[in-house]
Amino acid sequence: MKKKTVIENLIVSTLTQLITLILGMILPRIILLAWGSEYNGLLSSVTNILRYLSLLEAGFNTATLQALYKSVGQDDREQTSIVIRTSQHYYHRISVVYALMVLLISIGYPLIIKSEIPFWETFAIIILQGAVGVINFAFRAAYQQLLNAEGKYYVISLITLLTTVLTYAAKILSIGYFNSVVIMQIMSVLVIIVQVTIYAIYFNKRYTWIDKDARIDESLLENRKYYFTQQVAGLIFNSTDTFVLSVFCGLKVASVYATYNLVYTALAQIISLIRGSTSFVLGQSFHKDESFFKRVYDAYSAMQSMIGGIMASISMVLIINFIQLYTQGINDVNYIDFIAAFLFSFNLMLECSRGASLASANIAGKAPDTTWRYILEAAINLISSLILVQFVGMKGVLLGTAIAGLYRTTDSIIYTNIHVLNRSSLYEFKNVLTDFALFFGIVYISHNLLNIKAVSYVQLFGYAIITGIIVTAVYGISFIVLNKNVTRDLVQAIKHQ
């Protein structure tokens, strides 16, 4: 894969995420003003609950991607066709089971939450949102993994950009003209049909070599049970917070969490686009040369840790002022919480710090050895969240995530360096701890010495640019001092793919 592809990935993905970020900020604000915190909390909770149903594909998507890394890296089209055919076989079965599970949840969930929203309305919201997942599993998922393996993340981003704009425009119009949450959800279903149609046209024109009658070879996805367990644990780790809050603290508190999470999800997506644009280099390099892979890993790991630090630090300087502007005029619950903002940022950094080590362990085929670690991480998060939410509410579930994240980040870095890279983990910890030290320093300065009080989004944007330049310079200097050669190695890796 050429350097041009990575540049295309980054440019298109960045544009997509920026537009998604802007639209993603606008819609919840409109929902809050039109229907209040309870509806906002419900929509957020339903989204997170349906993520649990995505467990049905857990294992298959990761196993498919790892198999495709190998066949694509070796330019074996016959084997690639077999992987795609095998993956499609499973996804079609998954879509049927997913539909049945959506039906059960749409009946059960409205009965256990404390809400004034009518049963039938909650039922319809879940059914329609679940329909999006059914369509995705049945018609798109397997082919999207091929684009990821080939490094064509820009294709996914372009299609996502178009359908994201259509989705948000349709939803906003639905609120303004129909004032109906059900019609808003119907619009999402119509747009996902458009998206699947675009994928079908693209693959029918560009991938005529795929043998749609290729044999099914289940051995290609032999590690899927381990990846399944990993993703179950990962979903519990990432998605329990809103569910726990909606049950124990109510939908209004869940709305507060969702509002902060809106910002941090956007930041995570920006980080994800960088991963998605470059991760194929890591995956393909493993199957070529061990020493080359180690150099790529160092660059990939240091880059992720630095970017996580930059995003978390900028957010801590600006987040409270943004929440004040965003929730202006909404008085049914208090949205200002500095400690919650700090824990969100801290958890974002932890997630970035372990991203490279987790990915590399799977690429190296270590899933059977690491799966129990995912389970332990999820257990720590769930148990500590259920305990702490009783005492400190929303901050309790965030603290539970931080406790589990600290364990998993430390463990994954040590494991990957010893069992995959065959070396000490001190070099990687040096980078990670330096980035955390910079983060704590910026948090202290922003909270005790700065007093940003923007009165408009335009003024806040100006502050964001200045903050971004300063914070990026601080982390950038640190990165250069500690990692004189890794950037060059990553560039060389991209050129040779």
Side-chain angles (χ1 to χ4, degrees), residues 298-319:
D298 286 337
Y300 192 73
S301 172
M303 178 187 71
Q304 282 205 44
S305 179
M306 178 188 68
I307 292 172
I310 291 172
M311 295 297 180
S313 297
I314 293 174
S315 69
M316 282 307 303
V317 176
L318 302 169
I319 184 66

Side-chain angles (χ1 to χ4, degrees), residues 314-335:
I314 293 174
S315 69
M316 282 307 303
V317 176
L318 302 169
I319 184 66
I320 295 300
N321 197 173
F322 170 79
I323 295 296
Q324 289 171 336
L325 291 173
Y326 191 79
T327 59
Q328 190 173 11
I330 302 168
N331 303 310
D332 53 358
V333 66
N334 178 33
Y335 279 85

Side-chain angles (χ1 to χ4, degrees), residues 50 98-99 102 125-135:
L50 291 182
Y98 185 95
V102 167
I125 289 170
I126 298 172
I127 285 288
L128 291 168
Q129 196 158 330
V132 173
V134 172
I135 295 170

Side-chain angles (χ1 to χ4, degrees), residues 52 55 229-241 374-375 377-379 381-383 385 401:
Y52 283 98
L55 293 175
T229 306
Q230 289 180 8
Q231 292 188 30
V232 169
L235 190 60
I236 292 173
F237 179 81
N238 291 311
S239 303
T240 54
D241 291 359
Y374 285 86
I375 297 172
E377 174 192 27
N381 183 31
L382 183 59
I383 293 171
S385 294
T401 301

Side-chain angles (χ1 to χ4, degrees), residues 4 21 61 188 198 209 240 302 425 450:
K4 179 183 176 183
L21 172 62
N61 56 353
S188 295
I198 294 172
W209 54 265
T240 54
S425 57
L450 298 180

